[in-house]
Amino acid sequence: MGRKLDPTKKEKRGPGRKARKQKGAETELAKFLPAGGDENSKRLSSRARKRAAKRRLGSAEAPETNKSPGAKPLPGKLPKGFCKPFGVSAGAVQTPGKKEASSLFNMARGKKRPAPTHSSAEEEEEDSEGDGVVNQEDLWGSEDSDADMIDDYGAGSNSEDEDEDDDEELLPIERAARKQKAQEAVAGDQWSEEETDEEEEEEQVSAESGPREDEESEGGLQINVDEEEPLLPPAGEVEQDTQAPDLQCVHKRIQDIVGVLRDFGTQREEGRSRSEYLQRLRKDLATYYSYGDFLLGKLMDLFPLSELVEFLEANEVPRPITLRTNTLKTRRRDLAQALINRGVNLDPLGKWSKTGLVVYDSSVPIGATPEYLAGHYMLQGASSMLPVMALAPQEHERILDMCCAPGGKTSYIAQLMKNTGVILANDANAERLKSVVGNLHRLGVTNAIISHYDGRQFPKVVGGFDRVLLDAPCSGTGVISKDPAVKTNKDEKDILRCAHLQKELLLSAIDSVNASSKTGGYLVYCTCSIMVEENEWVVDYALKKRNVRLVPTGLDFGQEGFTRFRERRFHPTLRSTRRFYPHTHNMDGFFIAKFKKFSNSIPQSQTGNSATSTPTNPDLPNVNGQVTPKSESGSPSTKKAGQAKQRLQKQQHPKKSSFQKQNGISKGTDTELSTVSAVTKAQASSKLQDSSQPPETAAVVREPKEAGKLKQQSPKLQSSRKAAFRKQRAPPKTMDTDLPAAPSLSKTQATPKPEDRDQPFGNTTGAEKVKHQVAEQPFKKAAFQKRDGTPKGLKTPTVSSRSSSRPPPAKRRKSQSRGSLQPALTSVDG
Amino acid sequence: MRPLTEEETRVMFEKIAKYIGENLQLLVDRPDGTYCFRLHKDRVYYVSEKILKLAANISGDKLVSLGTCFGKFTKTHKFRLHITALDYLAPYAKYKVWIKPGAEQSFLYGNHVLKSGLGRITENTSQYQGVVVYSMADVPLHPQGEKSLNTHCLHGGEIYLHLTLTSAYKGSTITYCIRNEMDIQSPGANSPSTSTAEALSRPHILTPQDSVSVSL
């Protein structure tokens, strides 16, 4: 009986329906003819321009036509009006505009200009609305009045389409209010662009003389309204938080503010600073997405604004379910077939994965199919496969998975190794280990040992692994969609506590790697956090503390890690780390760094206190006053350092290190720096001389082979390293930059570690070696001097070491630039 | 962690032999290195010598599991096979039962298998024989004999199940076992719950006592 309910044709109800219905018909038409809408808009734009011109001429006329007393609240009252839209714009049916296409709004606005009249009109009067429009049009230019009306709606509906979903849930009245608001918000832009001259004039006027504003009544008033309306509360006024905020309002405002901030120069409200906008935006985002203030602040630091909103949106949506085929038991094709037969809709995950499948929907519980129980697949997030791919385990290796629960990555490692070799799967949490046991048995992993240690004990328990995977415990800011509690329950302390633990774990992980492994010597560090504190910072810390360097992860997508973040500067090789975000890659937020360990020796703490590392040349008198206080305590470590150095020397060109020593003697400046440069040099030179040590070569192969490039790389490396160290050196700050959260802990870490760490590496007395080394010196020096200048590669380090011995930490930039200049120098030399 | 005593070895081998008979020999003498059984917290683990060496570094209380868990000794020194041993038993199993797809899911969730659900069965299966249950997923490529069985294992098209034809212990199926992972693990960590879990998950693999009373 009667008409069927058509959900697409939602008729508006309430008083004044007749008028609206006509409009509704128009909008619906436009809905079905989206292209037409576009045309309309294009056609309109010229008219709009025409009319704008007319308006400019006859701006005096405007007041009478547009007069709508009381309709527009004064700027001061606006925010209230914005949040409680009903009173303001009861009957107005205006088009909501999205900020995206400002041109569209321009013409739309040109059309809409008469609209405010309707908004002010009483409901009863709306029936005659059409007439009103016509009248106005007559005033401005009668020839195109009718067409304008239609076009007006068409244009409106065009943009309405975009907001349609939102509109569905709204009452007609709300919808109307929103539309008007949107239009008003948009209007500000047009004024600025379309009628710049007028606006300027107005601004001048309004700045100089208040009365003029009244005089200009309608136009002027509206402009002000438009500009100020949604975004910021008036300067002096405090935000009223009495009522619960309307989420729609907030959402709209977020969009608007982002729009304004994107083009701040032109779109901002006079006299409002960016920070005011940002503050407002932050508040709104916190309200709308229910984030804690702290985390939101962090995220705002991390992402540009537009991306931030995307990120927050992405966190509201769960990631797709992905599963990984257990190639120990089946093949992907077979598995896919079996699952499809069970009514699961799936697809291969992506080009980068040969085992992943993504599940769109399923008629059976995906975690309880017979295939699952038989261990043919594992439910695993896409991002969790990446670290294992980066680790690239080889068959017959010894691998440590330091924080393995719940065993997904471990089983992936096992399957890549085809159940050969040994995997030591460790986790500190006994509860979670149960799932590891279950999963590994289910998936048929037979080469695993599951242990229950604290990861930090590791090199003591067992060491000498070919590869180590450290999936460190973290704050979980990358997986907010899984655990929304993160939004609010994290604060600075939590993050830094995580970071501290991660640093400890990473150091133990590095110490557990056997650098002289034939096939490996690699370590992958990953977290499911996106905080810089837990990622780049930790990695940078490890780079300073241990003989490791970053190598490409082997993943061809993902964003590069930060080398600079706000006030922090990280090692330039951090570019080879990878970040993954929910909004860009549709997987959990993740960070992956791959290290290559190039020496088993542990450089003795240059960081915590410079003293321990300073007396690398024991026979030298300490020139620097700052060095002395800890020299007694540092004496054993001195030996160690000497030993380490000795080792390095053996590995690298002898001349270089001897030169460095000589340099230290002659200049007698900061010895610590010289050690540092020795280390960096060691790294650089290890890159330069592929052939000298077999374990290095494997990694070096990846580097471009051309000598020129290598040359270029090394000085850069050095200089930046140096810069990093210099930063570290600045005495009081060091601790802070490294471990601000727990300075006491860091101290403990700095001091007792030498003893701990040395155990695995044999305690042959370093003193002898040092002596030996010292004895060699003159000879080497001579050798160096003789050969000075001959090989190209050698020149660079010498220059840089000199530059490094120059003290000023403030001139870091300068020295860096010098470093970058070096290649040119050397090439000239050579 | 220690090697098994004579007695323990005998008990365990007797049990395993019920399923794979003389193929037990193949389990111990493998071409790809030495494998051995180790007892750790009453669990018996089947593990390669190489892995054993590394595991020796880990202290007993911190070691949770290694290699594959085959089963456990009860307090009365009986041996109970665990579901996790299935991967090793299935390829060598002498007697097998295949279950039709319709009955498969229901069987997985711990129900009886009626005669109508029985797809096929190895000839000469005696009444109290230990068997390994397969689903019918491998029907098209299913000749009999050892060779074909190996190919099944490689392809992984089939799913190994256990038969609870008459006595449907809840815990006797793969489903239950996987869901109660803790039972695979050594009891140390979860001692309070062990007893109940144990009671529930009695024999994981059909023992001669679980009669195959389906009239064959």
Side-chain angles (χ1 to χ4, degrees):
Chain A
M1 278 287 289
R3 291 188 298 176
K4 282 183 184 171
L5 177 69
D6 185 359
T8 59
K9 293 186 179 183
K10 204 173 180 186
E11 283 179 354
K12 294 152 190 168
R13 301 212 171 81
R17 181 177 168 189
K18 196 176 166 192
R20 238 182 258 121
K21 196 176 170 190
Q22 286 174 343
K23 263 184 197 171
E26 300 287 351
T27 52
E28 277 153 24
L29 255 186
K31 236 181 258 176
F32 294 119
L33 304 167
D38 265 348
E39 280 167 27
N40 281 345
S41 63
K42 266 169 203 165
R43 194 153 46 90
L44 276 171
S45 65
S46 65
R47 294 212 174 124
R49 245 175 273 132
K50 243 188 267 170
R51 237 185 305 142
K54 273 183 191 165
R55 223 175 297 142
R56 240 171 270 142
L57 289 174
S59 58
E61 284 179 333
E64 290 118 53
T65 55
N66 274 349
K67 200 140 220 165
S68 58
K72 296 292 153 199
L74 290 170
K77 291 178 184 172
L78 259 172
K80 211 193 282 173
F82 183 70
C83 278
K84 297 184 289 181
F86 307 106
V88 180
S89 55
V93 181
Q94 300 295 336
T95 54
K98 281 208 168 180
K99 281 262 170 179
E100 301 151 354
S102 62
S103 66
L104 182 82
F105 301 131
N106 284 345
M107 13 127 236
R109 204 257 160 190
K111 291 278 102 91
K112 291 302 146 39
R113 198 133 176 283
T117 1
H118 318 306
S119 75
S120 71
E122 300 286 7
E123 301 281 55
E124 302 88 40
E125 286 172 14
E126 287 209 335
D127 288 359
S128 63
E129 190 182 65
D131 296 340
V133 171
V134 171
N135 288 340
Q136 284 159 4
E137 294 300 336
D138 282 341
L139 278 176
W140 279 335
S142 53
E143 72 275 38
D144 53 9
S145 63
D146 275 348
D148 264 359
M149 253 177 74
I150 294 162
D151 288 344
D152 198 2
Y153 300 136
S157 68
N158 199 24
S159 52
E160 195 175 45
D161 273 348
E162 296 162 359
D163 281 356
E164 206 173 11
D165 342 318
D166 303 33
D167 284 350
E168 298 292 2
E169 305 136 17
L170 294 178
L171 294 172
I173 198 166
E174 285 175 306
R175 219 175 301 168
R178 277 189 61 208
K179 282 177 191 170
Q180 195 198 1
K181 251 174 280 153
Q183 191 211 350
E184 284 166 355
V186 161
D189 310 350
Q190 287 113 38
W191 280 101
S192 60
E193 290 173 31
E194 213 177 53
E195 307 176 26
T196 39
D197 36 355
E198 195 184 6
E199 193 189 8
E200 278 166 26
E201 197 187 1
E202 275 171 16
E203 275 172 10
Q204 285 170 359
V205 168
S206 62
E208 289 159 15
S209 63
R212 173 72 207 273
E213 214 170 286
D214 290 347
E215 202 179 304
E216 240 196 38
S217 67
E218 192 44 48
L221 240 185
Q222 204 187 338
I223 289 162
N224 283 344
V225 161
D226 290 341
E227 279 170 353
E228 281 173 316
E229 194 244 278
L231 305 181
L232 292 178
E237 201 168 304
V238 185
E239 183 75 4
Q240 310 114 330
D241 286 336
T242 47
Q243 0 165 278
D246 179 1
L247 283 187
Q248 300 286 351
C249 287
V250 174
H251 184 60
K252 188 71 191 63
R253 193 160 53 199
I254 289 170
Q255 287 181 338
D256 291 345
I257 295 183
V258 169
V260 168
L261 288 172
R262 210 178 278 165
D263 188 13
F264 195 65
T266 57
Q267 301 201 5
R268 71 163 175 173
E269 191 181 313
E270 261 324 283
R272 293 310 185 90
S273 66
R274 182 176 281 273
S275 63
E276 275 178 277
Y277 276 95
L278 281 174
Q279 210 167 5
R280 178 81 234 186
L281 178 65
R282 184 168 170 169
K283 215 170 182 181
D284 285 344
L285 286 174
T287 317
Y288 190 74
Y289 296 101
S290 60
Y291 274 78
D293 199 42
F294 167 74
L295 184 59
L296 195 64
K298 283 281 175 196
L299 294 175
M300 284 179 91
D301 291 345
L302 205 58
F303 294 112
L305 280 176
S306 52
E307 217 181 314
L308 173 69
V309 176
E310 279 174 45
F311 174 77
L312 297 177
E313 279 298 339
N315 279 340
E316 302 300 307
V317 186
R319 303 275 81 73
I321 301 170
T322 53
L323 46 91
R324 175 176 52 77
T325 317
N326 181 16
T327 51
L328 293 173
K329 289 200 169 185
T330 185
R331 290 175 300 185
R332 184 163 75 167
R333 202 179 345 131
D334 299 336
L335 174 68
Q337 195 53 53
L339 287 178
I340 286 168
N341 289 343
R342 292 194 189 279
V344 180
N345 183 8
L346 42 71
D347 248 353
L349 180 53
K351 251 184 247 165
W352 53 270
S353 171
K354 282 180 186 161
T355 54
L357 290 167
V358 58
V359 177
Y360 296 122
D361 62 275
S362 165
S363 55
V364 292
I366 201 75
T369 62
E371 280 79 15
Y372 179 82
L373 297 171
H376 288 190
Y377 64 90
M378 172 95 193
L379 285 172
Q380 191 174 32
S383 56
S384 303
M385 302 177 200
L386 298 173
V388 181
M389 293 168 70
L391 187 69
Q394 308 295 310
E395 290 177 37
H396 304 291
E397 281 187 331
R398 248 163 75 135
I399 292 187
L400 170 65
D401 187 353
M402 221 172 207
C403 308
C404 66
K409 295 187 188 70
T410 317
S411 59
Y412 194 15
I413 294 174
Q415 104 180 32
L416 288 178
M417 292 165 74
K418 303 200 172 77
N419 253 341
T420 60
V422 191
I423 302 171
L424 181 51
N426 178 69
D427 203 286
N429 187 336
E431 278 301 306
R432 303 187 77 199
L433 273 178
K434 288 172 190 170
S435 65
V436 178
V437 176
N439 276 329
L440 292 190
H441 275 101
R442 182 171 61 82
L443 294 166
V445 174
T446 56
N447 61 346
I449 303 167
I450 302 169
S451 70
H452 172 213
Y453 279 103
D454 185 334
R456 286 170 287 189
Q457 296 175 316
F458 240 88
K460 269 192 273 177
V461 181
V462 207
F465 291 93
D466 294 319
R467 286 163 206 263
V468 175
L469 174 64
L470 174 59
D471 181 12
C474 65
S475 61
T477 46
V479 288
I480 294 175
S481 60
K482 271 188 199 162
D483 178 19
V486 175
K487 285 177 181 178
T488 48
N489 68 4
K490 293 281 180 266
D491 62 5
E492 183 81 39
K493 257 185 197 162
D494 293 318
I495 303 276
L496 292 173
R497 200 179 294 128
C498 277
H500 184 256
L501 176 63
Q502 284 157 353
K503 282 171 188 167
E504 288 181 312
L505 283 172
L506 184 54
L507 289 193
S508 350
I510 291 173
D511 293 341
S512 313
V513 178
N514 179 15
S516 53
S517 153
K518 281 192 188 91
T519 55
Y522 291 101
L523 171 115
V524 167
Y525 170 79
C526 60
T527 63
C528 58
S529 168
I530 52 171
M531 294 287 118
V532 172
E533 285 86 347
E534 296 178 71
N535 298 327
E536 279 86 353
W537 199 10
V538 175
V539 169
D540 196 54
Y541 175 81
L543 287 177
K544 285 175 197 158
K545 283 282 195 177
R546 291 290 184 272
N547 287 327
V548 289
R549 66 158 174 271
L550 284 167
V551 293
T553 54
L555 305 166
D556 52 358
F557 62 110
Q559 293 178 5
E560 289 177 354
F562 294 111
T563 51
R564 35 178 302 181
F565 180 73
R566 292 172 74 81
E567 74 279 3
R568 301 210 182 90
R569 297 293 174 272
F570 303 117
H571 196 267
T573 52
L574 268 159
R575 221 170 281 131
S576 58
T577 62
R578 283 281 175 274
R579 285 176 155 263
F580 300 89
Y581 295 125
H583 59 285
T584 49
H585 306 97
N586 200 16
M587 50 178 76
D588 292 328
F590 226 79
F591 173 85
I592 299 176
K594 185 176 185 180
F595 294 92
K596 164 85 178 157
K597 188 172 176 182
F598 58 84
S599 165
N600 273 338
S601 63
I602 300 173
Q604 284 309 309
S605 56
Q606 312 99 323
T607 43
N609 34 16
S610 53
T612 45
S613 64
T614 27
T616 22
N617 300 329
D619 15 359
L620 278 182
N622 280 331
V623 183
N624 269 356
Q626 64 167 37
V627 163
T628 39
K630 284 215 173 173
S631 58
E632 317 89 77
S633 71
S635 63
S637 65
T638 310
K639 291 176 189 172
K640 299 283 149 54
Q643 185 184 343
K645 211 169 177 194
Q646 169 86 8
R647 235 175 256 171
L648 278 176
Q649 226 167 317
K650 266 188 232 163
Q651 286 173 357
Q652 321 303 336
H653 264 260
K655 295 149 289 178
K656 217 178 297 166
S657 37
S658 68
F659 168 77
Q660 178 262 324
K661 203 146 291 166
Q662 173 212 8
N663 188 17
I665 293 167
S666 61
K667 291 227 168 185
T669 52
D670 188 3
T671 33
E672 183 217 343
L673 258 185
S674 69
T675 32
V676 167
S677 64
V679 172
T680 52
K681 226 181 288 171
Q683 288 174 349
S685 61
S686 74
K687 268 187 193 168
L688 285 171
Q689 305 148 17
D690 331 4
S691 55
S692 59
Q693 326 132 7
E696 294 297 319
T697 48
V700 172
V701 171
R702 292 193 178 184
E703 321 267 344
K705 279 268 176 178
E706 306 97 55
K709 265 207 169 175
L710 280 178
K711 248 185 286 162
Q712 278 189 349
Q713 274 179 359
S714 60
K716 260 187 212 166
L717 243 178
Q718 284 173 343
S719 61
S720 54
R721 261 240 158 168
K722 252 170 272 154
F725 273 112
R726 227 170 281 158
K727 187 169 70 181
Q728 224 172 13
R729 235 190 78 226
K733 277 178 195 167
T734 32
M735 302 298 282
D736 293 344
T737 47
D738 281 337
L739 294 168
S744 59
L745 274 173
S746 76
K747 238 175 234 167
T748 55
Q749 195 188 358
T751 40
K753 255 179 192 169
E755 291 90 56
D756 298 347
R757 286 292 143 71
D758 283 333
Q759 289 174 354
F761 297 102
N763 274 333
T764 50
T765 50
E768 287 179 15
K769 290 200 174 183
V770 170
K771 257 182 224 163
H772 175 61
Q773 176 190 0
V774 169
E776 276 179 1
Q777 259 188 34
F779 167 69
K780 276 180 189 163
K781 209 192 298 174
F784 171 74
Q785 279 163 352
K786 220 188 287 172
R787 291 176 65 174
D788 189 9
T790 36
K792 289 180 197 172
L794 289 176
K795 188 72 182 178
T796 40
T798 57
V799 174
S800 67
S801 77
R802 246 169 223 149
S803 74
S804 79
S805 59
R806 286 176 198 166
K811 290 178 188 170
R812 195 188 312 153
R813 183 159 293 172
K814 203 174 165 189
S815 76
Q816 263 174 345
S817 68
R818 196 183 299 135
S820 63
L821 282 176
Q822 279 168 16
L825 279 177
T826 51
S827 65
V828 168
D829 283 354
Chain B
M1 191 173 58
R2 62 171 174 81
L4 298 169
T5 60
E6 282 289 314
E7 176 66 12
E8 285 162 344
T9 314
R10 192 182 55 76
V11 172
M12 188 186 71
F13 279 4
E14 266 176 19
K15 181 72 135 202
I16 294 174
K18 279 172 187 158
Y19 295 90
I20 60 175
E22 60 273 18
N23 291 335
L24 179 60
Q25 197 60 36
L26 298 170
L27 210 56
V28 183
D29 303 331
R30 288 171 55 144
D32 57 338
T34 322
Y35 276 70
C36 44
F37 291 95
R38 281 291 179 277
L39 189 75
H40 176 63
K41 291 182 181 170
D42 280 344
R43 258 66 176 170
V44 177
Y45 294 95
Y46 178 66
V47 65
S48 145
E49 196 111 82
K50 282 181 295 180
I51 296 174
L52 201 61
K53 244 185 262 169
L54 183 64
N57 292 318
I58 293 163
S59 68
D61 58 329
K62 298 288 188 188
L63 182 66
V64 179
S65 155
L66 72 159
T68 309
C69 180
F70 250 57
K72 68 167 183 187
F73 280 101
T74 62
K75 298 267 192 289
T76 50
H77 300 291
K78 285 176 193 150
F79 183 72
R80 294 270 161 79
L81 275 172
H82 274 181
I83 182 73
T84 46
L86 192 60
D87 280 343
Y88 289 97
L89 298 188
Y92 303 120
K94 294 183 81 176
Y95 295 96
K96 299 166 187 153
V97 173
W98 284 263
I99 291 184
K100 286 178 183 167
E104 178 188 316
Q105 191 88 16
S106 127
F107 172 69
L108 275 180
Y109 286 107
N111 297 321
H112 298 272
V113 177
L114 303 178
K115 194 186 174 189
S116 59
L118 199 63
R120 58 193 302 166
I121 189 164
T122 316
E123 277 181 29
N124 303 327
T125 307
S126 61
Q127 198 181 2
Y128 298 115
Q129 181 62 48
V131 294
V132 172
V133 181
Y134 292 75
S135 80
M136 292 295 277
D138 50 348
V139 167
L141 43 129
H142 183 260
Q144 302 191 343
E146 180 127 353
K147 191 178 150 207
S148 61
L149 284 177
N150 276 334
T151 55
H152 295 168
C153 295
L154 290 176
H155 286 277
E158 82 281 47
I159 297 146
Y160 310 120
L161 307 171
H162 298 285
L163 190 58
T164 48
L165 294 182
T166 55
S167 53
Y169 292 110
K170 280 265 180 219
S172 56
T173 62
I174 192 171
T175 317
Y176 190 86
C177 297
I178 296 300
R179 297 232 166 117
N180 291 269
E181 289 141 353
M182 58 203 215
D183 195 46
I184 303 168
Q185 199 187 330
S186 26
N190 51 342
S191 37
S193 59
T194 313
S195 56
T196 52
E198 220 165 88
L200 280 172
S201 61
R202 287 215 294 183
H204 290 271
I205 291 182
L206 193 68
T207 56
Q209 290 77 35
D210 303 334
S211 60
V212 181
S213 70
V214 180
S215 51
L216 301 168

